[in-house]
Amino acid sequence: MDAVDLGFWAFLAVALPVLLLPVLIVWWKGRRVGPILLLSLIFWPGALILAIRLGHQRDLQ
């Protein structure tokens, strides 16, 4: 496993709990989780893809 793979897995290890953090906060406050979960599932994959692409472009330079 090289440093790029390690960095990718470290990024995912941090990003996935952050994905669930808003859902957990809303659930803890006793509100409906559905809208926040939907927004998280819609926007986070796009943000992850963008971050991965920007990382690969930086590596190519």
Side-chain angles (χ1 to χ4, degrees), residues 11-52:
F11 175 74
L12 282 182
V14 172
L16 291 177
V18 172
L19 165 67
L20 297 175
L21 185 64
V23 177
L24 291 174
I25 291 171
V26 169
W27 175 74
W28 178 61
K29 289 188 170 199
R31 298 186 180 149
R32 293 186 329 168
V33 177
I36 300 299
L37 182 63
L38 184 64
L39 286 172
S40 292
L41 290 176
I42 288 172
F43 288 111
W44 266 92
L48 290 175
I49 290 169
L50 181 62
I52 291 169

